[in-house]
Amino acid sequence: MTSNIDYIDKIPNNVDLGRDRVLQRALEHWQPAYMGWWYDMGPNESHNYDVYLRTAISVDPEGWAVFDYVKMPQYRWGIFLVPPTGDREVNFGINKGQAAWQDVPGEYRSMLRRLIVTQGDTEPASVEQQRMLGMCAPSLYDLRNIYQVNVEEGRHLWAMVYLLHRYFGRDGREEAEALLERRSGDVDNPRILGAFNEPTPDWLAFYMFTFFTDRDGKFQLSSLAESGFDPLARTCRFMLTEEAHHMFVGETGVGRIVQRTAELMAQHKIDDPDHVRALGVIDLQTVQKYLNFHYSVTLDLFGGDISSNAASFYTTGLKGRYEETKIDDDHQLTDATYKVGTVKDGRVADEDIPALNALNERLRDDYIGEVQAGVDRWNKVIEKTGIPFRLRLPHKGFHRQIGNFAGHHISPDGDVMSAEQWKARRDDWMPSAADYTFVQAMMSGRVVEPGKFANWIAPPRRGIHTQPIDFEYVRFN
Ligand SMILES: [Fe+2]
Ligand SMILES: [Fe+2]
């Protein structure tokens, strides 16, 4: 195992793939199917573009990537794990203190496969959800960024498929094929998790998605990076280095939209959303509605508040808590409790449950803390312009389909309502068909002149890598 990546092989890797002929053949068999999926479901009409992309060349945190023009179908997707540390242990659960597993423990095999497949399924799903957005990109800079996210999600699929092929034999290979067969939003064969079947119809939705939903990815990968199954831990560690950029794209994308809107509001001294829209920018009320939607569907991805599956994943040592090894407790949670929200007597209330069963909720709370910090930074951008509007996270129970709040009708303020009351307010809280129509109409057509940006978004503060903002990030040929 070296930290440098071997690009001589057909499949770039740092796992010495050439020494394992059976595995190499299996992956080389999957590769054309993957390329078929990319041509069908990857970014629309993009195959011949030269895109200024980063490609991983090493798993060293220092200098791990190069930047250059690449045609996306020729992107070097491959298998990169951070190197083993040798003395790693299972750090939590009933197997705590054992040497970390280099092979799948037989009794945990199906649980582990399910974790890997569920994670793997999200990766191609987001590429499918975003495939039309290149056609209406607000700049070459943004176009390049969405393509970067897309190729790296493709690589994340490779990462999970490697684990399936290497450690799960025939059923792993079947699962790897199924990952290329499901389709986001398909009625007959949808992606596994709800948020990954929702459309991403415009660039505001894309930035919200990469801010909220890619961050769910970060938290899931972080807890899998704690896994006692060492190859999974090391795979997820490296995926996290790529994930950081996706969240950057989302946070700065929304930040640039609210900046542009708030600046125009201040300049023209207006606050009526219709007047704001008349200037060709997105009113902050609509931004808030998108936030409410993407936040709530992403909260569902963490699963039920009370979950025996989450307890088993933890007890067995397969999936830890966020930053498990930095937490100061017994790492077994035998007697610990944790607060989860619920609805009691028509009101939202907290209840204490065994911490082992509340691990989804705990991860969700860790996530919410980080998301809140991002929202605070957006509000700083608005504040600087002197506009009093503030974005905020709705109540955790708002618009939930999974967990204790599912089936209840909770307002953004946390009030429990009747279904009729809630429905009457729905379009105040989440994007209506008319809101989507407005946003999409504004985003028709793509801005292709280097250094130019659509009217509805501010330019970024700096370009990519060492390049200026007006660099030709995509060449259309
Ligand atoms: Fe990913
Ligand atoms: Fe991502």
Side-chain angles (χ1 to χ4, degrees):
M1 168 82 55
T2 58
S3 64
N4 285 328
I5 290 162
D6 184 356
Y7 277 105
I8 298 163
D9 283 339
K10 206 163 150 193
I11 299 170
N13 72 91
N14 70 342
V15 293
D16 220 353
L17 194 55
R19 286 233 304 242
D20 188 340
R21 288 290 167 202
V22 177
L23 174 63
Q24 190 177 24
R25 266 201 299 277
L27 284 165
E28 283 177 5
H29 182 77
W30 185 80
Q31 192 174 34
Y34 172 80
M35 289 311 299
W37 168 82
W38 180 267
Y39 276 106
D40 285 350
M41 297 312 294
N44 193 42
E45 288 184 16
S46 66
H47 306 315
N48 208 28
Y49 301 169
D50 290 306
V51 187
Y52 187 71
L53 292 176
R54 93 177 160 187
T55 302
I57 49 160
S58 154
V59 294
D60 281 337
E62 311 294 328
W64 60 276
V66 289
F67 289 74
D68 205 352
Y69 285 106
V70 177
K71 286 192 184 12
M72 284 189 283
Q74 284 148 32
Y75 187 78
R76 305 308 314 272
W77 286 290
I79 299 152
F80 319 133
L81 280 65
V82 301
T85 52
D87 52 357
R88 212 174 151 255
E89 293 181 350
V90 181
N91 293 312
F92 55 91
I94 51 171
N95 298 307
K96 184 173 179 294
Q98 284 185 21
W101 306 303
Q102 299 306 324
D103 277 304
V104 178
E107 65 271 43
Y108 304 150
R109 190 185 152 90
S110 67
M111 251 197 288
L112 195 51
R113 192 184 59 208
R114 179 162 151 208
L115 276 171
I116 293 168
V117 168
T118 308
Q119 179 59 41
D121 192 68
T122 66
E123 314 290 356
S126 64
V127 176
E128 294 165 3
Q129 287 169 295
Q130 296 162 14
R131 68 182 301 269
M132 297 308 290
L133 292 175
M135 311 305 288
C136 54
S139 72
L140 291 185
Y141 166 91
D142 291 280
L143 184 60
R144 176 269 172 201
N145 278 346
I146 195 171
Y147 290 159
Q148 183 72 59
V149 171
N150 293 159
V151 292
E152 286 175 350
E153 299 305 3
R155 207 205 64 74
H156 289 178
L157 173 60
W158 272 91
M160 293 296 118
V161 163
Y162 162 71
L163 294 174
L164 289 170
H165 273 194
R166 168 75 177 77
Y167 296 98
F168 293 89
R170 187 202 179 89
D171 41 336
R173 290 193 294 278
E174 285 169 3
E175 292 283 13
E177 275 166 37
L179 285 168
L180 295 174
E181 286 159 7
R182 285 185 286 273
R183 288 287 181 272
S184 176
D186 192 288
V187 265
D188 300 320
N189 196 14
R191 291 296 171 184
I192 295 169
L193 299 171
F196 291 91
N197 288 304
E198 298 284 351
T200 309
D202 57 64
W203 278 76
L204 178 55
F206 167 67
Y207 296 132
M208 289 289 181
F209 186 97
T210 41
F211 178 80
F212 285 109
T213 311
D214 282 70
R215 194 179 311 276
D216 159 69
K218 170 190 166 174
F219 278 79
Q220 300 300 338
L221 291 175
S222 297
S223 50
L224 293 174
E226 303 288 346
S227 181
F229 179 51
D230 201 44
L232 175 62
R234 292 192 286 120
T235 302
C236 291
R237 268 289 159 234
F238 185 67
M239 290 163 79
L240 283 164
T241 55
E242 294 169 314
E243 204 63 53
H245 174 68
H246 309 177
M247 291 176 292
F248 162 86
V249 169
E251 179 170 336
T252 54
V254 175
R256 289 159 54 210
I257 288 177
V258 298
Q259 180 192 341
R260 176 70 180 150
T261 299
E263 283 174 355
L264 281 185
M265 288 170 70
Q267 190 187 327
H268 294 264
K269 300 190 169 53
I270 50 171
D271 60 7
D272 182 324
D274 289 333
H275 298 164
V276 173
R277 286 185 175 199
L279 294 173
V281 294
I282 307 170
D283 53 293
L284 298 174
Q285 288 79 1
T286 298
V287 174
Q288 177 69 58
K289 291 189 207 178
Y290 273 66
L291 183 161
N292 292 349
F293 173 77
H294 286 273
Y295 177 64
S296 58
V297 297
T298 305
L299 288 186
D300 276 340
L301 290 175
F302 290 84
D305 313 48
I306 303 170
S307 167
S308 55
N309 279 333
S312 311
F313 293 151
Y314 186 83
T315 309
T316 50
L318 298 181
K319 182 182 178 186
R321 289 171 291 177
Y322 182 60
E323 301 196 318
E324 178 71 42
T325 46
K326 293 186 187 163
I327 301 171
D328 184 19
D329 64 11
D330 68 354
H331 302 278
Q332 295 189 316
L333 305 177
T334 5
D335 301 315
T337 60
Y338 195 83
K339 267 191 192 3
V340 301
T342 186
V343 176
K344 240 194 210 124
D345 306 324
R347 298 185 57 198
V348 170
D350 280 338
E351 67 178 352
D352 283 314
I353 66 161
L356 269 180
N357 291 316
L359 286 163
N360 288 341
E361 184 66 359
R362 180 182 174 122
L363 193 60
R364 186 163 26 235
D365 286 339
D366 289 336
Y367 166 85
I368 290 172
E370 209 180 90
V371 158
Q372 180 64 58
V375 173
D376 293 344
R377 288 190 289 273
W378 291 337
N379 282 333
K380 287 245 156 54
V381 173
I382 304 174
E383 197 181 337
K384 260 197 199 156
T385 65
I387 297 296
F389 189 97
R390 297 291 177 265
L391 294 164
R392 63 191 189 101
L393 294 177
H395 187 273
K396 204 197 267 186
F398 172 74
H399 186 235
R400 293 288 303 282
Q401 314 294 324
I402 287 174
N404 289 350
F405 295 115
H408 294 285
H409 295 85
I410 296 171
S411 75
D413 288 330
D415 297 322
V416 181
M417 311 175 96
S418 72
E420 294 69 35
Q421 285 170 325
W422 195 94
K423 277 192 193 115
R425 300 291 311 276
R426 190 236 171 252
D427 288 357
D428 297 334
W429 295 332
M430 288 202 296
S432 64
D435 292 327
Y436 281 124
T437 304
F438 160 73
V439 172
Q440 283 167 41
M442 200 174 54
M443 294 181 184
S444 62
R446 146 161 99 190
V447 178
V448 295
E449 198 183 317
K452 281 264 177 306
F453 289 81
N455 180 60
W456 47 266
I457 190 164
R461 260 194 289 204
R462 60 184 70 84
I464 290 149
H465 193 43
T466 54
Q467 304 299 347
I469 290 172
D470 63 358
F471 184 71
E472 194 176 9
Y473 288 106
V474 180
R475 294 181 183 146
F476 296 100
N477 302 312

